[in-house]
Amino acid sequence: MAENTEQQPGKTIHAGGEWLEAVSGATREIIDPADALPFAVVAEGDEKDTDIAVAAARAAFDGGQGAWPRTPVTERAALLRRVADLLVRDREELGLLESRDAGKTVEEGRVDIDCVADAFRYFADLVAGEAPGRVVDAGTPDVHSVVVHEPVGVCALITPWNYPLLQASWKIAPALAAGNTFVVKPSEITPLTTVALIDLLVEAGLPAGVANIVTGPGHSVGARLAEHPDVDLVSFTGGLISGTKVAQAAAVTVKKVALELGGKNPNVVFADACATEEGFDTAVDQALNAAFIHSGQVCSAGARLIVEETVRERFVAELARRAEKIRLGRGTEDGVECGPLVSEQQRVKTESYVAAALAEGAVLRSGGKRPEPTATRPATGYFYEPTVLDQCHREMTVVREEVFGPVLTVETFRTEDEAVALANDTEYGLAGAVWTADAGRARRVAGRLRHGTVWINDFHPYLPQAEWGGFGKSGVGRELGPAGLAEYREAKHVYQNLAPRPVRWFAG
């Protein structure tokens, strides 16, 4: 892997082609959530470092004929493919780094790197295969009218801590494919793989100033990016409160804004999906996957199980039994199925939601506490048991608000209309799923769910070719797919009069 933060402790700000320390000299220790011990040091940037990075991105965008926006599409696509190849080359190292940084299992980390490489290849193919413009019929042979797409400019890309490199790739790959320059601000908790990606971009031959990164907190770096007058677009993935602040700051300069925010995602299970043993087993297994992968720290997590009343008891009993068998531990250890939460703050938050749910009448079926320490699960780590809360209802805080931890709530329904009403009874609208053996019902329910992604008899897969967005407070804009590329472009109408002549509106 190319030289990165492990070789340059405290030099993780990249601006104008150089690795820099923070102007203030401040640093931050990066904590391994499996044992709460520091294992890396990064620069703690602030507004001054952000201004330097934005200036570098602006200069790289506004340069002469050889600037990145004017680089032929074929060359931009070729660079993205080289980056994908480098990601494959460094898959093991990056997967391990993602595991230690975010707490997920190494296998999850490896899968993330595969998906990142896929995203770079997808956007390379998409932009390389596009038509140069859309001809608009002006109704006369003397006029040539065409709509072309141009890069937006300098993009501020603010990414979350749960899928650091994957979420960064969903922004960086289309931004570069479209010809933009950017400044990325990874989460201050999990910045290491994004720092490593900048190294790979440089190794692939990206010109200086096109890719810039500032490691530092949201209240300084993120806030400055959102308000900066030389930033043309801000793309943010994270929580609702922070996303609202980003939108408010960006509104002052009327920037383009893309927000991917929270979710409280329903997983609706009809009894007919469980009519066979294989169907029952699959639905239970997928409910576990929906709720507990990466300890529930997933914006699209199926944290609300909405199950038909006739199968509720059997389904929840089996779900709870299997949840108790999930092997918790350090993500780098063999046999571990679920790692720690990302921080002590996140664990305390999870505990508070569970305590409130029990006080409001929920019934604990599994988990609900910190696990006993083991050789693979240090007592100092931020572990919490996968938790199933039965007999929940819409008025409970744990049902309404995003926990972002390994907590699954159970609600029941009797009719299709009731199932849809429960699933849509949320301020969010990111993702959801429906399980049924009835093809007609599957289409009806999927069509009525007000969520940006709806899975039928599955949960969690995504395709680079498909747009990812949401309704309600889950955000605005799209990532992935052709619409994801369109977010990083502006449309320009070029009208050429081949036979100019006087208009003669006025006498003279």
Side-chain angles (χ1 to χ4, degrees):
M1 190 160 63
E3 194 174 83
N4 61 35
T5 181
E6 293 184 335
Q7 286 77 49
Q8 302 182 53
K11 271 193 169 183
T12 54
I13 294 171
H14 193 263
E18 296 184 47
W19 286 106
L20 306 169
E21 297 178 345
V23 171
S24 68
T27 60
R28 173 189 290 264
E29 291 183 327
I30 301 303
I31 304 299
D32 186 334
D35 55 21
L37 296 176
F39 73 101
V41 176
V42 299
E44 183 84 333
D46 59 20
E47 293 88 349
K48 292 180 180 179
D49 303 284
T50 306
D51 287 347
I52 292 170
V54 171
R58 186 81 265 166
F61 186 85
D62 293 339
Q65 185 59 35
W68 183 247
R70 283 160 286 287
T71 300
V73 168
T74 53
E75 293 182 25
R76 298 204 301 263
L79 183 135
L80 293 184
R81 294 190 187 102
R82 290 197 296 273
V83 174
D85 291 341
L86 294 174
L87 287 160
V88 172
R89 181 197 70 185
D90 294 345
R91 178 179 187 260
E92 289 301 313
E93 294 169 81
L94 290 169
L96 177 62
L97 190 59
E98 197 80 325
S99 173
R100 293 198 69 190
D101 208 6
K104 62 183 64 180
T105 65
V106 170
E107 184 55 34
E108 287 181 72
R110 293 182 185 122
V111 171
D112 285 358
I113 306 308
D114 293 340
C115 293
V116 172
D118 287 345
F120 273 88
R121 289 197 184 98
Y122 170 74
F123 283 108
D125 293 343
L126 180 62
V127 74
E130 286 186 318
R134 178 171 59 88
V135 175
V136 179
D137 185 4
T140 172
D142 294 336
V143 169
H144 178 69
S145 177
V146 62
V147 175
V148 297
H149 293 104
E150 296 189 346
V152 171
V154 175
C155 301
L157 312 177
I158 305 173
T159 61
W161 50 258
N162 59 332
Y163 283 89
L165 196 57
L166 183 61
Q167 292 285 344
S169 73
W170 289 9
K171 303 177 189 298
I172 290 173
L176 290 177
N180 299 284
T181 62
F182 70 84
V183 180
V184 62
K185 191 211 89 67
S187 166
E188 59 269 34
I189 303 174
T190 57
L192 300 180
T193 50
T194 309
V195 172
L197 177 61
I198 301 299
D199 253 343
L200 296 186
L201 291 170
V202 173
E203 185 180 351
L206 191 67
V210 176
N212 307 274
I213 183 172
V214 181
T215 50
H219 66 78
S220 57
V221 178
R224 180 57 179 155
L225 284 172
E227 70 181 12
H228 202 294
D230 283 338
V231 168
D232 302 294
L233 173 150
V234 57
S235 177
F236 172 87
T237 299
L240 175 61
I241 294 175
S242 296
T244 301
K245 292 178 180 178
V246 166
Q248 290 171 339
V252 176
T253 48
V254 200
K255 302 184 198 316
K256 288 190 70 173
V257 176
L259 303 173
E260 199 271 271
L261 306 177
K264 195 65 183 177
N265 311 293
N267 187 19
V268 180
V269 179
F270 286 90
D272 63 2
C274 305
T276 66
E277 287 303 312
E278 181 181 7
F280 176 81
D281 182 67
T282 300
V284 170
D285 180 70
Q286 288 278 16
L288 291 166
N289 171 61
F292 299 132
I293 191 169
H294 193 18
S295 293
Q297 299 170 119
V298 186
C299 58
S300 58
R304 293 177 63 204
L305 175 64
I306 302 174
V307 61
E308 192 164 354
E309 188 175 64
T310 56
V311 295
R312 183 194 65 81
E313 181 51 40
R314 182 187 175 211
F315 197 97
V316 175
E318 180 62 11
L319 187 74
R321 185 187 72 81
R322 295 193 201 180
E324 291 178 346
K325 293 181 177 295
I326 292 175
R327 294 188 291 272
L328 299 180
R330 186 188 296 272
T332 56
E333 298 285 345
D334 290 339
V336 166
E337 296 172 323
C338 198
L341 293 171
V342 75
S343 65
E344 177 63 11
Q345 178 184 8
Q346 198 64 25
R347 181 168 65 174
V348 170
K349 175 186 172 185
T350 300
E351 289 175 325
S352 68
Y353 273 110
V354 173
L358 296 177
E360 291 172 342
V363 175
L364 183 67
R365 298 294 292 263
S366 71
K369 64 182 186 300
R370 302 181 183 189
E372 293 296 321
T374 67
T376 61
R377 193 166 62 225
T380 51
Y382 308 134
F383 297 97
Y384 194 77
E385 292 182 351
T387 300
V388 176
L389 296 171
D390 197 5
Q391 298 184 28
C392 295
H393 53 79
R394 183 64 180 87
E395 286 69 34
M396 291 180 174
T397 304
V398 73
V399 175
R400 296 195 311 272
E401 298 181 7
E402 187 177 39
V403 177
F404 233 62
V407 177
L408 176 64
T409 62
V410 181
E411 302 164 77
T412 58
F413 67 91
R414 295 181 180 179
T415 68
E416 182 178 313
D417 285 346
E418 186 181 4
V420 171
L422 284 171
N424 284 337
D425 190 10
T426 173
E427 293 181 329
Y428 298 99
L430 188 63
V434 53
W435 290 81
T436 177
D438 184 330
R441 171 185 282 158
R443 289 191 295 271
R444 286 195 308 273
V445 174
R448 295 174 67 189
L449 292 183
R450 293 282 295 168
H451 301 278
T453 294
V454 178
W455 295 290
I456 296 174
N457 297 339
D458 209 333
F459 211 102
H460 275 320
Y462 78 90
L463 303 174
Q465 303 94 328
E467 288 84 25
W468 180 264
F471 296 95
K473 292 184 178 179
S474 286
V476 295
R478 291 290 185 270
E479 292 186 315
L480 298 177
L485 181 62
E487 290 288 339
Y488 293 90
R489 284 174 161 172
E490 297 284 10
K492 176 189 285 185
H493 179 204
V494 179
Y495 180 103
Q496 181 180 6
N497 192 335
L498 304 177
R501 53 194 177 276
V503 177
R504 302 295 188 195
W505 281 112
F506 305 103

Short mmCIF file of all heavy atoms in Angstrom, two decimals, residues 53-93:
data_model
loop_
_atom_site.label_atom_id
_atom_site.label_comp_id
_atom_site.label_asym_id
_atom_site.label_seq_id
_atom_site.Cartn_x
_atom_site.Cartn_y
_atom_site.Cartn_z
N ALA A 53 -7.15 23.78 1.75
CA ALA A 53 -7.58 22.68 0.89
C ALA A 53 -8.55 23.15 -0.18
O ALA A 53 -8.47 22.74 -1.35
CB ALA A 53 -8.19 21.56 1.73
N VAL A 54 -9.50 24.01 0.21
CA VAL A 54 -10.47 24.52 -0.76
C VAL A 54 -9.76 25.36 -1.82
O VAL A 54 -10.07 25.28 -3.03
CB VAL A 54 -11.57 25.35 -0.06
CG1 VAL A 54 -12.44 26.06 -1.09
CG2 VAL A 54 -12.43 24.44 0.82
N ALA A 55 -8.78 26.16 -1.41
CA ALA A 55 -8.03 26.97 -2.37
C ALA A 55 -7.30 26.08 -3.37
O ALA A 55 -7.25 26.40 -4.58
CB ALA A 55 -7.04 27.88 -1.63
N ALA A 56 -6.76 24.98 -2.90
CA ALA A 56 -6.07 24.05 -3.80
C ALA A 56 -7.05 23.42 -4.79
O ALA A 56 -6.76 23.30 -5.99
CB ALA A 56 -5.37 22.97 -2.99
N ALA A 57 -8.22 23.03 -4.30
CA ALA A 57 -9.24 22.44 -5.18
C ALA A 57 -9.74 23.46 -6.19
O ALA A 57 -9.99 23.13 -7.36
CB ALA A 57 -10.40 21.90 -4.34
N ARG A 58 -9.91 24.71 -5.73
CA ARG A 58 -10.37 25.77 -6.64
C ARG A 58 -9.37 26.01 -7.76
O ARG A 58 -9.73 26.15 -8.94
CB ARG A 58 -10.58 27.04 -5.83
CG ARG A 58 -11.19 28.21 -6.56
CD ARG A 58 -12.69 28.09 -6.65
NE ARG A 58 -13.16 27.51 -7.87
CZ ARG A 58 -14.41 27.08 -8.05
NH1 ARG A 58 -15.30 27.14 -7.08
NH2 ARG A 58 -14.77 26.56 -9.20
N ALA A 59 -8.08 26.08 -7.40
CA ALA A 59 -7.04 26.33 -8.39
C ALA A 59 -6.96 25.18 -9.39
O ALA A 59 -6.77 25.40 -10.59
CB ALA A 59 -5.69 26.52 -7.70
N ALA A 60 -7.14 23.95 -8.90
CA ALA A 60 -7.07 22.78 -9.80
C ALA A 60 -8.26 22.75 -10.74
O ALA A 60 -8.15 22.26 -11.87
CB ALA A 60 -7.01 21.50 -8.97
N PHE A 61 -9.39 23.26 -10.29
CA PHE A 61 -10.58 23.28 -11.15
C PHE A 61 -10.51 24.43 -12.16
O PHE A 61 -10.88 24.26 -13.32
CB PHE A 61 -11.85 23.42 -10.32
CG PHE A 61 -13.11 23.30 -11.14
CD1 PHE A 61 -13.64 22.05 -11.43
CD2 PHE A 61 -13.75 24.43 -11.65
CE1 PHE A 61 -14.79 21.92 -12.21
CE2 PHE A 61 -14.89 24.31 -12.43
CZ PHE A 61 -15.41 23.04 -12.70
N ASP A 62 -10.04 25.58 -11.73
CA ASP A 62 -10.07 26.78 -12.57
C ASP A 62 -8.84 26.93 -13.45
O ASP A 62 -8.68 27.94 -14.13
CB ASP A 62 -10.21 28.03 -11.70
CG ASP A 62 -11.55 28.12 -11.00
OD1 ASP A 62 -12.50 27.46 -11.48
OD2 ASP A 62 -11.65 28.83 -9.99
N GLY A 63 -7.94 25.95 -13.43
CA GLY A 63 -6.71 26.04 -14.21
C GLY A 63 -6.94 26.08 -15.70
O GLY A 63 -8.07 26.09 -16.18
N GLY A 64 -5.85 26.03 -16.45
CA GLY A 64 -5.91 26.17 -17.90
C GLY A 64 -6.40 24.92 -18.60
O GLY A 64 -7.12 24.09 -18.02
N GLN A 65 -5.97 24.77 -19.84
CA GLN A 65 -6.46 23.70 -20.69
C GLN A 65 -6.19 22.32 -20.11
O GLN A 65 -6.95 21.38 -20.30
CB GLN A 65 -5.83 23.81 -22.08
CG GLN A 65 -6.36 22.81 -23.09
CD GLN A 65 -7.87 22.92 -23.30
OE1 GLN A 65 -8.43 24.01 -23.25
NE2 GLN A 65 -8.53 21.79 -23.51
N GLY A 66 -5.11 22.18 -19.37
CA GLY A 66 -4.76 20.87 -18.82
C GLY A 66 -5.42 20.55 -17.49
O GLY A 66 -5.12 19.52 -16.89
N ALA A 67 -6.31 21.41 -17.01
CA ALA A 67 -6.95 21.18 -15.72
C ALA A 67 -7.89 19.98 -15.79
O ALA A 67 -8.36 19.59 -16.86
CB ALA A 67 -7.72 22.43 -15.28
N TRP A 68 -8.17 19.40 -14.63
CA TRP A 68 -8.95 18.18 -14.55
C TRP A 68 -10.31 18.27 -15.25
O TRP A 68 -10.71 17.33 -15.96
CB TRP A 68 -9.13 17.78 -13.09
CG TRP A 68 -9.87 16.49 -12.89
CD1 TRP A 68 -11.10 16.33 -12.33
CD2 TRP A 68 -9.42 15.18 -13.24
NE1 TRP A 68 -11.45 15.01 -12.31
CE2 TRP A 68 -10.44 14.27 -12.86
CE3 TRP A 68 -8.26 14.68 -13.84
CZ2 TRP A 68 -10.32 12.90 -13.06
CZ3 TRP A 68 -8.15 13.31 -14.03
CH2 TRP A 68 -9.18 12.44 -13.65
N PRO A 69 -11.08 19.36 -15.13
CA PRO A 69 -12.38 19.41 -15.82
C PRO A 69 -12.26 19.30 -17.33
O PRO A 69 -13.22 18.89 -17.99
CB PRO A 69 -12.94 20.78 -15.41
CG PRO A 69 -12.20 21.15 -14.18
CD PRO A 69 -10.85 20.56 -14.31
N ARG A 70 -11.11 19.67 -17.88
CA ARG A 70 -10.93 19.62 -19.32
C ARG A 70 -10.13 18.40 -19.77
O ARG A 70 -9.78 18.27 -20.95
CB ARG A 70 -10.26 20.91 -19.79
CG ARG A 70 -11.25 22.07 -19.83
CD ARG A 70 -10.59 23.41 -19.82
NE ARG A 70 -10.02 23.78 -18.53
CZ ARG A 70 -10.75 24.14 -17.48
NH1 ARG A 70 -12.06 24.19 -17.55
NH2 ARG A 70 -10.16 24.46 -16.34
N THR A 71 -9.85 17.50 -18.83
CA THR A 71 -9.23 16.23 -19.18
C THR A 71 -10.24 15.37 -19.92
O THR A 71 -11.39 15.26 -19.49
CB THR A 71 -8.76 15.49 -17.91
OG1 THR A 71 -7.81 16.31 -17.22
CG2 THR A 71 -8.13 14.15 -18.25
N PRO A 72 -9.86 14.78 -21.04
CA PRO A 72 -10.83 13.96 -21.79
C PRO A 72 -11.47 12.88 -20.91
O PRO A 72 -10.83 12.33 -20.01
CB PRO A 72 -9.97 13.33 -22.89
CG PRO A 72 -8.85 14.30 -23.08
CD PRO A 72 -8.57 14.87 -21.72
N VAL A 73 -12.73 12.62 -21.20
CA VAL A 73 -13.48 11.65 -20.42
C VAL A 73 -12.79 10.29 -20.41
O VAL A 73 -12.76 9.59 -19.38
CB VAL A 73 -14.92 11.51 -20.98
CG1 VAL A 73 -15.62 10.31 -20.39
CG2 VAL A 73 -15.71 12.77 -20.68
N THR A 74 -12.21 9.89 -21.53
CA THR A 74 -11.54 8.58 -21.58
C THR A 74 -10.38 8.51 -20.60
O THR A 74 -10.15 7.46 -19.99
CB THR A 74 -11.03 8.31 -23.00
OG1 THR A 74 -10.22 9.42 -23.44
CG2 THR A 74 -12.19 8.11 -23.97
N GLU A 75 -9.67 9.61 -20.42
CA GLU A 75 -8.55 9.63 -19.47
C GLU A 75 -9.05 9.61 -18.03
O GLU A 75 -8.45 8.95 -17.17
CB GLU A 75 -7.67 10.86 -19.72
CG GLU A 75 -6.94 10.83 -21.06
CD GLU A 75 -6.04 12.04 -21.24
OE1 GLU A 75 -5.61 12.63 -20.22
OE2 GLU A 75 -5.77 12.40 -22.40
N ARG A 76 -10.13 10.34 -17.77
CA ARG A 76 -10.69 10.30 -16.41
C ARG A 76 -11.17 8.89 -16.07
O ARG A 76 -10.94 8.39 -14.96
CB ARG A 76 -11.85 11.30 -16.28
CG ARG A 76 -11.44 12.75 -16.50
CD ARG A 76 -12.39 13.72 -15.83
NE ARG A 76 -13.76 13.62 -16.27
CZ ARG A 76 -14.33 14.38 -17.19
NH1 ARG A 76 -13.61 15.31 -17.82
NH2 ARG A 76 -15.60 14.24 -17.51
N ALA A 77 -11.83 8.25 -17.01
CA ALA A 77 -12.32 6.89 -16.78
C ALA A 77 -11.16 5.93 -16.57
O ALA A 77 -11.22 5.04 -15.70
CB ALA A 77 -13.18 6.44 -17.96
N ALA A 78 -10.10 6.09 -17.33
CA ALA A 78 -8.94 5.20 -17.19
C ALA A 78 -8.31 5.35 -15.80
O ALA A 78 -7.88 4.36 -15.19
CB ALA A 78 -7.91 5.51 -18.27
N LEU A 79 -8.29 6.57 -15.29
CA LEU A 79 -7.74 6.77 -13.95
C LEU A 79 -8.59 6.07 -12.89
O LEU A 79 -8.07 5.43 -11.97
CB LEU A 79 -7.61 8.26 -13.63
CG LEU A 79 -6.97 8.54 -12.27
CD1 LEU A 79 -5.94 9.66 -12.39
CD2 LEU A 79 -8.00 8.89 -11.20
N LEU A 80 -9.91 6.18 -13.02
CA LEU A 80 -10.78 5.51 -12.06
C LEU A 80 -10.57 4.00 -12.09
O LEU A 80 -10.58 3.34 -11.04
CB LEU A 80 -12.25 5.84 -12.36
CG LEU A 80 -12.69 7.29 -12.16
CD1 LEU A 80 -14.18 7.42 -12.41
CD2 LEU A 80 -12.35 7.80 -10.78
N ARG A 81 -10.35 3.45 -13.27
CA ARG A 81 -10.10 2.00 -13.35
C ARG A 81 -8.76 1.64 -12.71
O ARG A 81 -8.63 0.57 -12.09
CB ARG A 81 -10.14 1.55 -14.82
CG ARG A 81 -11.53 1.69 -15.45
CD ARG A 81 -11.59 1.01 -16.81
NE ARG A 81 -12.86 1.30 -17.46
CZ ARG A 81 -13.04 2.20 -18.43
NH1 ARG A 81 -11.99 2.89 -18.89
NH2 ARG A 81 -14.23 2.41 -18.96
N ARG A 82 -7.76 2.49 -12.85
CA ARG A 82 -6.48 2.23 -12.18
C ARG A 82 -6.66 2.24 -10.67
O ARG A 82 -6.06 1.42 -9.95
CB ARG A 82 -5.43 3.27 -12.59
CG ARG A 82 -4.97 3.14 -14.03
CD ARG A 82 -3.67 3.89 -14.27
NE ARG A 82 -3.79 5.33 -14.10
CZ ARG A 82 -4.16 6.18 -15.05
NH1 ARG A 82 -4.52 5.71 -16.26
NH2 ARG A 82 -4.21 7.48 -14.82
N VAL A 83 -7.47 3.16 -10.17
CA VAL A 83 -7.74 3.20 -8.73
C VAL A 83 -8.41 1.90 -8.28
O VAL A 83 -8.06 1.33 -7.24
CB VAL A 83 -8.63 4.41 -8.37
CG1 VAL A 83 -9.04 4.37 -6.90
CG2 VAL A 83 -7.90 5.71 -8.67
N ALA A 84 -9.36 1.41 -9.06
CA ALA A 84 -10.02 0.15 -8.72
C ALA A 84 -9.01 -0.99 -8.64
O ALA A 84 -9.07 -1.83 -7.74
CB ALA A 84 -11.10 -0.17 -9.75
N ASP A 85 -8.08 -1.02 -9.57
CA ASP A 85 -7.05 -2.07 -9.56
C ASP A 85 -6.17 -1.96 -8.31
O ASP A 85 -5.79 -2.98 -7.72
CB ASP A 85 -6.18 -1.98 -10.81
CG ASP A 85 -6.93 -2.35 -12.08
OD1 ASP A 85 -7.99 -3.01 -11.98
OD2 ASP A 85 -6.47 -1.96 -13.18
N LEU A 86 -5.85 -0.75 -7.91
CA LEU A 86 -5.04 -0.55 -6.71
C LEU A 86 -5.80 -0.98 -5.45
O LEU A 86 -5.21 -1.52 -4.51
CB LEU A 86 -4.61 0.91 -6.60
CG LEU A 86 -3.65 1.41 -7.68
CD1 LEU A 86 -3.43 2.91 -7.55
CD2 LEU A 86 -2.31 0.67 -7.60
N LEU A 87 -7.09 -0.73 -5.44
CA LEU A 87 -7.91 -1.18 -4.31
C LEU A 87 -7.90 -2.69 -4.20
O LEU A 87 -7.81 -3.25 -3.09
CB LEU A 87 -9.34 -0.67 -4.47
CG LEU A 87 -9.54 0.83 -4.22
CD1 LEU A 87 -10.84 1.31 -4.87
CD2 LEU A 87 -9.56 1.13 -2.72
N VAL A 88 -7.99 -3.37 -5.33
CA VAL A 88 -7.92 -4.84 -5.32
C VAL A 88 -6.55 -5.30 -4.82
O VAL A 88 -6.44 -6.23 -4.02
CB VAL A 88 -8.21 -5.39 -6.73
CG1 VAL A 88 -7.96 -6.90 -6.78
CG2 VAL A 88 -9.65 -5.09 -7.14
N ARG A 89 -5.51 -4.63 -5.27
CA ARG A 89 -4.17 -4.97 -4.83
C ARG A 89 -4.01 -4.86 -3.32
O ARG A 89 -3.38 -5.72 -2.67
CB ARG A 89 -3.16 -4.04 -5.51
CG ARG A 89 -1.70 -4.30 -5.16
CD ARG A 89 -0.83 -3.12 -5.54
NE ARG A 89 -1.07 -1.97 -4.67
CZ ARG A 89 -0.49 -0.77 -4.85
NH1 ARG A 89 0.32 -0.57 -5.88
NH2 ARG A 89 -0.74 0.23 -4.01
N ASP A 90 -4.59 -3.82 -2.74
CA ASP A 90 -4.42 -3.54 -1.30
C ASP A 90 -5.61 -4.00 -0.46
O ASP A 90 -5.79 -3.54 0.66
CB ASP A 90 -4.21 -2.04 -1.10
CG ASP A 90 -2.90 -1.55 -1.70
OD1 ASP A 90 -2.04 -2.38 -2.02
OD2 ASP A 90 -2.75 -0.32 -1.85
N ARG A 91 -6.40 -4.92 -1.01
CA ARG A 91 -7.64 -5.33 -0.36
C ARG A 91 -7.43 -5.80 1.07
O ARG A 91 -8.17 -5.42 1.99
CB ARG A 91 -8.29 -6.45 -1.18
CG ARG A 91 -9.59 -7.02 -0.60
CD ARG A 91 -10.13 -8.09 -1.53
NE ARG A 91 -11.44 -8.58 -1.16
CZ ARG A 91 -11.66 -9.72 -0.49
NH1 ARG A 91 -10.63 -10.49 -0.13
NH2 ARG A 91 -12.89 -10.09 -0.20
N GLU A 92 -6.45 -6.64 1.31
CA GLU A 92 -6.25 -7.20 2.65
C GLU A 92 -5.85 -6.12 3.65
O GLU A 92 -6.39 -6.05 4.76
CB GLU A 92 -5.20 -8.31 2.60
CG GLU A 92 -5.68 -9.56 1.91
CD GLU A 92 -6.91 -10.17 2.58
OE1 GLU A 92 -6.91 -10.29 3.82
OE2 GLU A 92 -7.88 -10.48 1.86
N GLU A 93 -4.92 -5.26 3.27
CA GLU A 93 -4.48 -4.21 4.18
C GLU A 93 -5.60 -3.22 4.47
O GLU A 93 -5.79 -2.80 5.62
CB GLU A 93 -3.27 -3.48 3.58
CG GLU A 93 -2.03 -4.34 3.45
CD GLU A 93 -0.98 -3.63 2.61
OE1 GLU A 93 -0.27 -2.77 3.18
OE2 GLU A 93 -0.85 -3.94 1.42
#
